[in-house]
Amino acid sequence: AIRMTQSPSSFSASTGDRVTITCRASQGINSYLAWYQQKPGRAPNLLIYAASTLQSGVPSRFSGSGSGTDFTLTISCLQSEDFATYYCQQYYSYPRTFGQGTKVEFK
Amino acid sequence: EVQLVESGGGLVQPGGSLRLACAASGFTFSSYSMNWVRQAPGKGLEWVSYISSSSDTIYYADSVKGRFTISRDNAKNSLYLQMNSLRDEDTAVYYCARDANGDSDYWGQGTLVTVSS
């Protein structure tokens, strides 16, 4: 199985900050990567697919980049509603695997 | 509006069985592959199973292979997960999710399965 490793696991930030989360795959996955946001008690919400394509309805402050093994999710200007946990997921092969999550907390 | 509504969760003893259902509406269910994803309390997301639109392709996570069975009824717009030989570590919220092109673009609200004696 392909292992997905996110960093950091958690961090504190303030509204207005530029935030970057990284995700590394244990082997190449082309651009078969998605990013999800999850808030407590809620289902995950798709933000980015194909590594860099913004899902419809997702604010443009979210962006994704990367291919192969290294990927990033960037929030250009953190808003209060963005404090949540973020997961990457590869869909290059089965079993599909998620990163362990990155929790963005309020500083 | 796309809606996915899971049901069937509850408390079950180790070794027991449970059948989850996911009712889909707001889209042409028969045209989409579907997934089950679970989340243990306080833990991350774990993909469980995939079924193609016509049920001809099915995959399972190693952790559930041989114990869980995914199925669907396109006439009833419903997805199912039959869970047998349940273990403590199967305790989780189970989500059904629509498969777009590998990513999951719509998710249900989840149903909690608790395996405990």
Side-chain angles (χ1 to χ4, degrees), chain A residues 5-90:
Chain A
T5 303
Q6 290 180 231
S7 61
S9 294
S10 66
F11 66 95
S12 300
S14 301
T15 54
D17 285 353
R18 181 181 179 88
V19 164
T20 299
I21 299 168
T22 65
C23 177
R24 175 164 289 176
S26 61
Q27 64 185 77
I29 59 170
N30 291 335
S31 296
Y32 294 106
L33 184 102
W35 288 98
Y36 301 89
Q37 177 194 67
Q38 187 180 33
K39 297 180 180 179
R42 304 289 297 275
N45 181 48
L46 176 66
L47 299 175
I48 302 276
Y49 62 95
S52 61
T53 303
L54 197 66
Q55 172 70 351
S56 175
V58 174
S60 59
R61 63 180 179 273
F62 291 93
S63 63
S65 65
S67 67
T69 60
D70 294 309
F71 303 86
T72 61
L73 172 70
T74 299
I75 310 172
S76 60
C77 183
L78 198 66
Q79 301 298 301
S80 56
E81 60 265 33
D82 301 335
F83 292 96
T85 301
Y86 295 85
Y87 294 92
C88 62
Q89 182 204 20
Q90 65 82 18

Side-chain angles (χ1 to χ4, degrees), chain B residues 30-85:
Chain B
S30 60
S31 296
Y32 286 85
S33 300
M34 298 293 294
N35 294 282
W36 286 100
V37 177
R38 69 184 180 182
Q39 187 169 37
K43 303 297 184 183
L45 300 170
E46 180 188 15
W47 171 82
V48 172
S49 185
Y50 163 93
I51 186 168
S52 63
S53 58
S54 58
S55 304
D56 57 356
T57 302
I58 286 173
Y59 296 105
Y60 296 100
D62 286 347
S63 57
V64 307
K65 200 174 295 182
R67 301 187 299 121
F68 289 12
T69 302
I70 192 172
S71 63
R72 64 190 296 160
D73 185 335
N74 286 342
K76 294 183 177 180
N77 292 336
S78 293
L79 174 73
Y80 305 100
L81 187 67
Q82 177 67 43
M83 304 186 295
N84 298 331
S85 303

